[in-house]
């Protein structure tokens, strides 16, 4: 009897297992005819910078019939119409059946696709459903939308500039620029000067130039050169009243999180005319910091509520170690610390600090993602490479000397001279560089 019960139990277990396998198999067979229908909330969109923060486009789609209960991931593809999504920008919508884009997000997609601002451009949009790791379960119809983007960088350039022996380019120019302000006829220049003389002129030409005969702060056409002493200044020029003012002016970071600690000198911020803000690329340690003016405590900003808004004399700002793009907005009294994975620099016996470093740090082009540059850097006969974070873990050379960078490639041969250098990492699959004497 015991053997009979055991045999019956075994038969039941095998039957149950076979049933379970059959059930699982039938439940997990993907319906290869699954479809989804994509709908766009608008087909003609004109993006405006004033509308940043508001929704520009809503996309929604129907749930495919997968043949069983699946948890998909939906990917939204954007590309120039007719490009067959070969260079598409892809966005992950998760398991939702909709995806919304703010004005600035859709504008960023246009910029990534290298679409010129203020020109109506047709885009193709589609949704792809992914089940599991790789399986494409359903692809939607292509929705056509026409979008006109905007330039999200400011153009504060003016026709006015500073020229003279006190400026970095001397009397031959090109002139150090004045930038427009919110006030009519008021222009500002942020400059580091040496002991010497200068004048204000229009269009890099001597046809119209102003000096200060009598050194009284009032300008005269073809007037005397303006004598200055070395320093970093804000020069304000009033083209309406023909007056000017030169005042010591810097903004910087101070604190135990910054390279020079609480005693300074402050880590300098530089004026970015593409955003009318002050910025710096800097490596910070875990600690605290503040913003201050002219390396002096008489005027400093902290953040009392840790909300990104600045307070005069406010609490220290807590920082964790890392590389950052630090932005100071004096118009709105706000700031931001944007984490950056890699800071790029030059290393080699042709560079100022040789192969042992520290690397000659490059500047980030704030208006173009992935672009780094150095102007007027003096190199000697020798070799160099580009590397990230003062470390050999990531470095680029140029095998073949064709201007295309190779990960760990050959050293780049340099002949002595003063160079403008551009490192273009905007296309990560094809990094390039240029050296211009």
């Amino acid at each position: 009897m015991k053997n009979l019960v055991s045999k019956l139990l075994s038969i039941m277990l095998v039957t149950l297992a076979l049933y379970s396998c059959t059930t699982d198999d039938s439940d997990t067979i993907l319906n290869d005819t699954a479809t989804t229908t994509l709908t766009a909330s608008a087909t003609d969109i004109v993006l405006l910078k004033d509308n940043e923060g508001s929704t520009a486009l809503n996309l929604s789609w129907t749930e495919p019939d997968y043949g069983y209960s699946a948890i998909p991931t939906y990917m939204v593809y954007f590309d120039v119409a007719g490009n067959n999504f070969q260079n598409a920008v892809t966005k992950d919508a998760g398991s939702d059946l909709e995806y919304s884009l703010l004005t600035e997000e859709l504008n960023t997609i246009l910029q990534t696709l290298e679409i010129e601002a203020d020109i109506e451009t047709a885009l193709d949009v589609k949704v792809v459903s992914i089940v599991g790791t790789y399986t494409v379960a359903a692809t939607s119809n292509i929705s056509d939308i026409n979008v006109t983007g905007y330039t999200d960088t400011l153009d504060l350039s003016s026709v006015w500039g500073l020229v003279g022996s006190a400026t970095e380019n001397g009397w031959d120019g090109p002139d150090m620029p004045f930038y427009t302000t919110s006030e009519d006829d008021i222009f500002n220049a942020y400059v580091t000067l040496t002991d010497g003389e200068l004048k204000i002129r229009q269009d890099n030409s001597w046809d119209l130039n102003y000096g200060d005969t009598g050194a009284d702060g009032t300008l005269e056409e073809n007037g005397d050169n303006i004598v200055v002493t070395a320093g970093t200044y804000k020069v304000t020029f009033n083209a309406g009243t023909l007056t000017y003012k030169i005042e010591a002016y810097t903004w910087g970071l101070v604190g135990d999180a910054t390279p020079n600690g609480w005693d300074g000198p402050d880590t300098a911020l530089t004026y970015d005319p593409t955003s009318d803000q002050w910025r710096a690329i800097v490596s910070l340690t875990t600690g605290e910091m503040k913003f201050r003016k002219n390396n002096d405590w008489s005027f400093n900003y902290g953040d009392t509520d840790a909300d990104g808004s600045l307070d005069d004399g406010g609490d220290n700002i807590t920082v964790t170690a890392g590389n950052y793009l630090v932005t100071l907005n004096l118009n709105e009294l706000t700031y931001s610390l944007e984490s950056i994975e890699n800071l790029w620099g030059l290393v080699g016996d042709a560079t100022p600090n040789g192969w042992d470093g520290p690397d000659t740090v490059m500047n980030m082009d704030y208006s173009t993602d992935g672009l780094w540059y150095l102007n007027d850097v003096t190199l000697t006969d020798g070799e160099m490479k580009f590397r990230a974070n003062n470390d050999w873990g990531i470095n680029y050379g140029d095998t073949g000397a064709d201007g295309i960078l190779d990960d760990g490639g050959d050293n780049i041969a340099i002949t002595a001279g003063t160079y403008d250098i551009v490192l273009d990492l905007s296309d990560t699959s094809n990094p390039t560089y240029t050296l211009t004497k």
Side-chain angles (χ1 to χ4, degrees), residues 233-402:
Y233 298 98
K234 174 183 178 181
V235 182
T236 302
F237 167 47
N238 188 324
T241 61
L242 290 182
T243 56
Y244 73 99
K245 180 171 64 175
I246 301 177
E247 57 183 315
Y249 196 85
T250 62
W251 281 99
L253 307 175
V254 65
D256 56 14
T258 70
N260 298 324
W262 287 110
D263 296 328
D266 299 354
T267 300
L269 302 171
T270 57
Y271 180 67
D272 171 24
T274 67
S275 65
D276 195 23
Q277 300 178 113
W278 291 79
R279 287 175 155 164
I281 302 294
V282 61
S283 293
L284 300 174
T285 58
T286 298
E288 297 179 323
M289 70 168 211
K290 300 189 84 171
F291 296 91
R292 68 176 182 174
K293 182 180 177 181
N294 294 340
N295 281 272
D296 190 273
W297 285 111
S298 60
F299 204 103
N300 71 88
Y301 284 123
D303 184 357
T304 299
D305 297 315
D307 58 359
S309 296
L310 293 167
D311 307 283
D312 187 2
D315 292 347
N316 296 342
I317 299 166
T318 302
V319 178
T320 56
N323 300 322
Y324 293 93
L325 167 59
V326 182
T327 300
L328 169 64
N329 188 326
L330 295 173
N331 300 311
E332 300 177 0
L333 288 184
T334 59
Y335 72 97
S336 63
L337 282 78
E338 179 183 344
S339 181
I340 297 175
E341 184 177 1
N342 296 318
L343 301 185
W344 290 93
L346 311 177
V347 65
D349 56 13
T351 69
N353 298 323
W355 287 111
D356 294 328
D359 298 355
T360 302
V361 178
M362 304 189 74
N363 303 305
M364 175 188 283
D365 186 324
Y366 303 127
S367 63
T368 307
D369 288 341
L371 211 62
W372 297 75
Y373 69 94
L374 265 179
N375 292 332
D376 297 324
V377 59
T378 300
L379 303 177
T380 59
D381 290 332
E383 298 178 323
M384 62 163 254
K385 300 187 84 171
F386 298 93
R387 68 175 181 174
N389 304 325
N390 279 276
D391 187 88
W392 287 109
I394 303 177
N395 74 88
Y396 284 122
D398 183 0
T399 302
D402 55 3

Side-chain angles (χ1 to χ4, degrees), residues 194-214:
T194 59
D195 290 338
E197 298 176 324
L198 57 79
K199 300 189 83 170
I200 297 171
R201 66 177 183 173
Q202 187 180 64
D203 295 326
N204 285 271
S205 169
W206 289 110
D207 292 344
L208 179 58
N209 72 89
Y210 293 109
D212 183 1
T213 301

Side-chain angles (χ1 to χ4, degrees), residues 31 34-37 61-68 72 74 97 129 137-139:
N31 177 8
T35 60
T36 180
T37 302
W61 50 93
T62 57
E63 184 174 8
D65 178 9
Y66 297 107
Y68 65 97
Y74 294 103
L97 294 173
S129 170
T139 300

Side-chain angles (χ1 to χ4, degrees), residues 122-192:
L123 296 185
D124 286 343
V125 185
K126 71 176 180 179
V127 173
V128 173
S129 170
I130 307 294
V131 175
T133 307
Y134 303 109
T135 304
V136 175
T139 300
S140 76
N141 56 297
I142 295 175
S143 181
D144 302 320
I145 61 173
N146 296 313
V147 186
T148 303
Y150 59 88
T151 301
D152 64 355
T153 58
L154 298 176
D155 181 7
L156 300 179
S157 58
S158 79
V159 297
W160 298 103
L162 289 172
V163 65
S165 60
T167 69
E168 64 182 24
N169 297 322
W171 287 110
D172 295 328
D175 301 355
M176 302 180 77
F178 277 100
Y179 299 108
T180 59
T181 70
S182 58
E183 300 179 72
D184 291 341
D185 293 328
I186 303 296
F187 302 88
N188 290 330
Y190 302 98
V191 293
T192 297

